[in-house]
Amino acid sequence: MNNCPSRVLRIVAGLIVAGAFLLALPAHVARAEGEQQDATPQSAAPQSGECNGSYYTVRRGDTWSIISRRAGIPIPELKRANPQAVRSQDLIYAGERLCIPSQSQSPGGTQTPTQSGGYWYQVKPGDTWNKISRATGISVRELWAANPGLVNRQQWLYIGQRVWIPQAPQGSATAAATAAPSASAEVTAEAVMTPTATALPPATPVPTATTAPTAAATAALTATPAPTAASTSAPAATALPTALPPKPADCPKTLAEYDASIARFLNNPANNVDRLNRSLALCRVAPADAPAAVIADITGPKSQDVIVAINDPSAEGPGAGGALLVYHKAPGGYALAHKRAGQGRLELIEAGDVNQDKKFDLVYSDTSCGAHTCFGTLFVDSWDGKTYADWIEDEPTIAGPEYSIKEVATDGEGEEIQVHGGVIGSVGAGPQRAWTETYISPAGGPYKLLSQVYDPSDCLYHQIVDANRAFDAWALDGFDPAIEAYEAALTEKNSQACGSIKDEVKTLQDFARFRLVVAQVAAGNAPAAIELAPQITHPGLKKAVTSFLGSY
């Protein structure tokens, strides 16, 4: 293949001339996959000082795009809430405070429903307000009144949210099924976070989408052995009940107060990790159906250290969230050795020597949700015997992540971390496609991105995007892979229109033909390019290909 520098320079010059015509193309063709358009707000009035949401302090390296992904809020909406921070070239400064507007708080609403006469229900895939209403016998309006903090204009619910189901009116068909916990279920301060051996109350199971719980379904909590060092992965640890009695009034008032409370709890011989999990769940800083605390041998073969991931249920936006706490066990008792504050909800994914470098690793995620989409950031902390070091490059963030840890590559040591996701729920985000990112630990060093592989798609748009990537890699692979990809996009019979532009398939096919003309010329096959050019009918692309060939 002949790719001399002068030929490439002439091609680049031709593309510059043709670029003016490409401006007429729909944004779905010209914009990179997954990008969000950045727009300056129409109004730049001074900030009033009031923020209907939460505040976020800008960190070094932050951009509007990064903060948008973390908060799950479009960039234009962030700018409208922060006109004082909108500057030329989109500059923002470390240390300034930005308002993160609330996406779920209704006017005058609260995040804590009345805790008497009902039970908690955890949202599952496919749930809607109507579906939960039919399953429980409680009207949608009554559910909204009991959960004002979950009500939004779109009437969306998110998987994992906890909905308070109030007691049904007397005489209704489901009154018995939704009976409130009895008076004996009340919890005192001694049963929650103080070191006593007081028995804990029973918990009411969460209903499924089709069957409401009955009074006979109530089961008492039973003690379960704490997980061993071999099972320190969060998903494999002790299962917990999925519903709780009303929250005790004397739980620590702020998330920061739990640092010392947990240490005192662990240092009482009457307590164990299983009991700690139940207490944290009662205080609503941990889920009822998964453990917040696990035992891990971090500092020695039988050190029995404790890792705790807790979250503030009242926190909104990226400015406040959860905390990852690590307590080392020493002769003098448990002491807090490591703490990482989360922007959103923290979840422990794996705890152990993941990359087999003989150092203990903590793999966890930090998730923040907006109106449409949840974004998760991956973290790895490694204990070197003296301190915990950040053991992953950058802060990998992706929409709707699903994490897995397994051996899938030979380039790194130990196991690799894979993340699947990337789909943004907003209608205006354009055609979406998930992908898988693989992170490796080269020679036991910090994890770094090895590959990003997109899921298969029948969308013609995605096929064009893949061909564009091959085109952009011409300096390494030549133009043959791009030519094959564009030709495949033109001949694929199952290609579909997945966007909203007019005559999408025809427009994208003409775009593929235009790029194919450029690639053929660059590969030294001008006759094939000249033969293909007349097949382009889109007005803007037709002018572009004429300008390109004339310039070349």
Side-chain angles (χ1 to χ4, degrees):
M1 180 181 71
N2 296 323
N3 274 333
C4 65
S6 61
R7 179 188 299 275
V8 174
L9 288 175
R10 292 200 304 273
I11 292 167
V12 171
L15 283 174
I16 292 173
V17 175
F21 295 107
L22 292 181
L23 293 177
L25 288 178
H28 286 81
V29 177
R31 193 168 69 239
E33 182 177 27
E35 287 186 351
Q36 297 184 25
Q37 288 181 305
D38 193 353
T40 302
Q42 296 178 355
S43 173
Q47 193 175 30
S48 66
E50 297 182 357
C51 176
N52 184 21
S54 61
Y55 283 102
Y56 172 71
T57 302
V58 177
R59 299 181 297 178
R60 183 172 298 178
D62 276 346
T63 64
W64 286 108
S65 180
I66 289 174
I67 297 172
S68 170
R69 291 197 302 270
R70 284 185 174 277
I73 295 174
I75 292 173
E77 189 170 340
L78 283 175
K79 288 185 174 181
R80 282 194 294 270
N82 299 276
Q84 81 291 346
V86 178
R87 306 178 181 92
S88 62
Q89 300 179 342
D90 275 351
L91 295 177
I92 55 175
Y93 302 116
E96 69 177 325
R97 292 206 315 166
L98 299 182
C99 175
I100 309 299
S102 172
Q103 295 292 316
S104 60
Q105 183 76 28
S106 59
T110 175
Q111 291 292 329
T112 306
T114 303
Q115 298 291 315
S116 61
Y119 57 89
W120 287 107
Y121 173 75
Q122 191 166 28
V123 176
K124 301 190 299 297
D127 277 344
T128 64
W129 287 109
N130 285 330
K131 189 172 182 179
I132 296 174
S133 173
R134 290 194 299 270
T136 60
I138 307 299
S139 72
V140 172
R141 290 189 179 276
E142 290 175 303
L143 291 173
W144 286 351
N147 299 273
L150 302 183
V151 179
N152 52 66
R153 287 176 297 177
Q154 296 82 6
Q155 299 184 16
W156 283 327
L157 288 168
Y158 301 105
I159 298 171
Q161 280 183 321
R162 285 158 53 82
V163 177
W164 181 254
I165 310 298
Q167 184 175 5
Q170 292 295 326
S172 67
T174 56
T178 57
S182 64
S184 62
E186 294 182 359
V187 185
T188 64
E190 292 183 326
V192 184
M193 289 304 300
T194 54
T196 70
T198 306
L200 293 177
T204 307
V206 169
T208 64
T210 56
T211 307
T214 62
T218 302
L221 292 170
T222 56
T224 306
T228 64
S231 62
T232 54
S233 171
T238 309
L240 296 176
T242 54
L244 297 167
K247 176 182 176 180
D250 51 358
C251 291
K253 302 304 180 185
T254 66
L255 210 62
E257 295 178 43
Y258 281 87
D259 299 5
S261 294
I262 292 173
R264 290 194 299 269
F265 191 94
L266 291 172
N267 285 322
N268 188 305
N271 295 319
N272 57 26
V273 170
D274 183 66
R275 182 176 173 80
L276 172 62
N277 277 318
R278 294 199 293 271
S279 294
L280 293 172
L282 285 170
C283 287
R284 307 294 193 265
V285 293
D289 56 351
V294 294
I295 294 177
D297 296 334
I298 301 175
T299 58
K302 297 182 180 179
S303 59
Q304 298 286 286
D305 306 303
V306 176
I307 306 166
V308 183
I310 55 176
N311 296 285
D312 185 351
S314 65
E316 291 186 38
L324 184 77
L325 310 172
V326 182
Y327 296 85
H328 289 178
K329 187 177 183 181
Y334 282 97
L336 181 64
H338 181 54
K339 177 178 179 178
R340 290 290 291 262
Q343 299 291 334
R345 179 175 55 84
L346 289 183
E347 182 178 358
L348 181 64
I349 301 170
E350 186 73 47
D353 186 5
V354 180
N355 62 347
Q356 296 180 4
D357 63 348
K358 298 182 180 179
K359 299 175 183 177
F360 197 93
D361 304 310
L362 299 171
V363 183
Y364 58 99
S365 63
D366 184 347
T367 303
S368 297
C369 296
H372 311 95
T373 308
C374 293
F375 288 84
T377 301
L378 178 65
F379 291 93
V380 181
D381 293 349
S382 182
W383 168 252
D384 62 7
K386 295 182 179 180
T387 186
Y388 287 87
D390 186 358
W391 218 243
I392 188 168
E393 293 185 357
D394 302 319
E395 293 184 0
T397 301
I398 190 172
E402 297 176 355
Y403 300 98
S404 62
I405 298 179
K406 53 189 175 183
E407 282 197 57
V408 294
T410 58
D411 303 68
E413 297 295 326
E415 295 180 307
E416 285 70 51
I417 305 174
Q418 285 196 320
V419 189
H420 182 263
V423 175
I424 299 175
S426 172
V427 176
Q432 296 289 297
R433 172 172 55 158
W435 66 82
T436 298
E437 296 177 356
T438 300
Y439 294 85
I440 63 171
S441 173
Y447 277 87
K448 61 188 300 183
L449 180 65
L450 171 67
S451 62
Q452 183 184 58
V453 180
Y454 282 84
D455 291 359
S457 174
D458 290 330
C459 294
L460 180 58
Y461 170 82
H462 292 141
Q463 295 167 22
I464 298 296
V465 169
D466 291 340
N468 288 345
R469 291 194 183 95
F471 185 94
D472 292 340
W474 68 267
L476 295 175
D477 305 323
F479 286 97
D480 288 346
I483 291 173
E484 293 177 5
Y486 286 122
E487 287 179 341
L490 289 172
T491 57
E492 175 59 52
K493 296 182 179 179
N494 294 326
S495 297
Q496 301 174 4
C498 300
S500 58
I501 64 174
K502 184 179 179 181
D503 297 328
E504 180 176 332
V505 172
K506 290 182 179 180
T507 301
L508 291 175
Q509 287 176 339
D510 273 353
F511 180 82
R513 292 186 182 100
F514 171 75
R515 279 300 187 95
L516 196 51
V517 166
V518 178
Q520 290 284 18
V521 169
N525 193 8
I530 294 172
E531 182 180 349
L532 182 63
Q535 299 179 30
I536 299 176
T537 60
H538 184 279
L541 289 165
K542 191 176 185 67
K543 291 180 181 180
V545 74
T546 301
S547 177
F548 169 74
L549 289 176
S551 215
Y552 173 75

